[in-house]
Amino acid sequence: MKSLKKLSLLTLLAALMVFMAACGGATSTEKTEGTAKKETAKTEETKELSGSLSISGSSAMQPLVAAAAEEFMANNPKVDIQVNAGGSGTGLSQVAEGSVQIGNSDVFAEEKEGIPADQLVDHKVAVVGMTAAVNPKVGIKDIKKADLIKVFTGKITNWKELGGADQKIVLVNRPDSSGTRAVFNKFALDGATPAEGITEDSSNTVKKIINETDGAIGYLAFSYFTDESVTPLAIDGVEPTAENVQSGQFPVWAYQHSYTKGEPDELSKAFFDYMMSDDVQNNLLKEQGYLPVTEMTVERDAKGNQKNL
């Protein structure tokens, strides 16, 4: 009888040890899995971006994108971003053919002939206002839209006809590929074709020519009005300000588009996410003279139709 009791006790003890071992094993496995998950999450969080981006297109967008690229590269030292101008048409053509990852444009891809817009994905990163700019010696700060059209179509040839200085009007135009030209022609000139004049694509060079040429008039994005070397013109009494663009009162504005061929790759997406961050939209954008998309109270489609949001 004693032997039977002893045997039962040993059996119970053995069973208990097996149970405890099993529990201990499960706990060990859970700890191992938990540690592995934490290490994986840590690896994902600290993963560094690397690689290069080639960006081309709109000269009006270049100051903004270049400034954002500098900050992005400072935060991601293994990333290299090259930002070139050349005009919206160039940016759209190059991104469509795959020679750059991002093509910047002042106009919708649908507005440019020969561009496969259905293959491109639009990322609206900002809004830009534009207006006519004159040499300060011209002596005017406001112009009626009807007169602006006459100036650019060659029907008015001297500023004295508009109450300005007795100076011959010198037109400074953009090439056909320029998105700035397309926007200005569409919304400031109501689609009229400008007369022949000096043709220059770089906004910085346009500004320099206007400043150095008596009687000169061209057009620039608000972001280039950083000093008094040229005079931005009000149109029909409406000042070219951010507030007037956002409310839809000032007519000459456009989205700043960054196009990719298909959905953006990892690095391009990370850069777009940065462009749309509060830091860029609320600080860098405004410092550079651009307007956040989120503050617009009107919107436009590719045909130029405007409506309230």
Side-chain angles (χ1 to χ4, degrees), residues 6-76:
K6 187 175 182 180
L7 182 61
S8 298
L9 185 60
L10 288 171
T11 302
L12 181 61
L13 184 59
L16 182 60
M17 290 177 69
V18 171
F19 177 75
M20 290 179 66
C23 290
T27 301
S28 176
T29 302
E30 288 172 2
K31 287 182 179 178
T32 302
E33 291 177 350
T35 302
K37 288 178 180 178
K38 288 179 181 178
E39 288 179 353
T40 300
K42 185 177 180 181
T43 300
E44 290 176 352
E45 288 175 5
T46 58
K47 182 179 179 182
E48 285 189 288
L49 288 170
S50 62
S52 61
L53 280 179
S54 291
I55 303 174
S56 72
S58 164
S59 60
M61 286 181 70
Q62 189 180 25
L64 169 64
V65 179
E70 286 295 326
E71 292 190 1
F72 188 80
M73 287 188 289
N75 296 329
N76 300 277

Side-chain angles (χ1 to χ4, degrees), residues 58-60 87-89 105-107 111-112 128 130-131 152-153 171-203 206 218-221 252-254 256:
S58 164
S59 60
S88 297
S105 176
D106 301 320
V107 298
E111 295 181 72
K112 284 288 185 180
V128 63
M130 303 174 191
T131 194
F152 271 93
T153 54
L171 300 179
V172 184
N173 281 313
R174 304 298 183 92
D176 290 337
S177 64
S178 168
T180 302
R181 173 176 175 140
V183 172
F184 188 79
N185 286 6
K186 189 171 186 175
F187 298 111
L189 305 183
D190 291 343
T193 301
E196 291 297 321
I198 299 170
T199 300
E200 176 57 55
D201 187 52
S202 168
S203 294
V206 168
Y219 40 91
L220 293 162
V252 194
W253 65 270
Q256 298 290 261

Side-chain angles (χ1 to χ4, degrees), residues 219-240:
Y219 40 91
L220 293 162
F222 289 1
S223 52
Y224 286 90
F225 299 122
T226 55
D227 51 40
E228 297 181 354
S229 62
V230 298
T231 302
L233 296 184
I235 298 176
D236 288 332
V238 181
E239 295 293 330

Side-chain angles (χ1 to χ4, degrees), residues 134-147:
V134 297
N135 182 288
K137 295 177 183 177
V138 163
I140 68 169
K141 294 183 178 180
D142 189 1
I143 191 169
K144 294 178 181 179
K145 181 188 269 193
D147 289 335

Side-chain angles (χ1 to χ4, degrees), residues 157 159 168-172 198 213-218:
T157 59
W159 289 112
K168 180 182 177 181
I169 294 173
V170 179
L171 300 179
V172 184
I198 299 170
T213 307
D214 288 348
I217 180 172

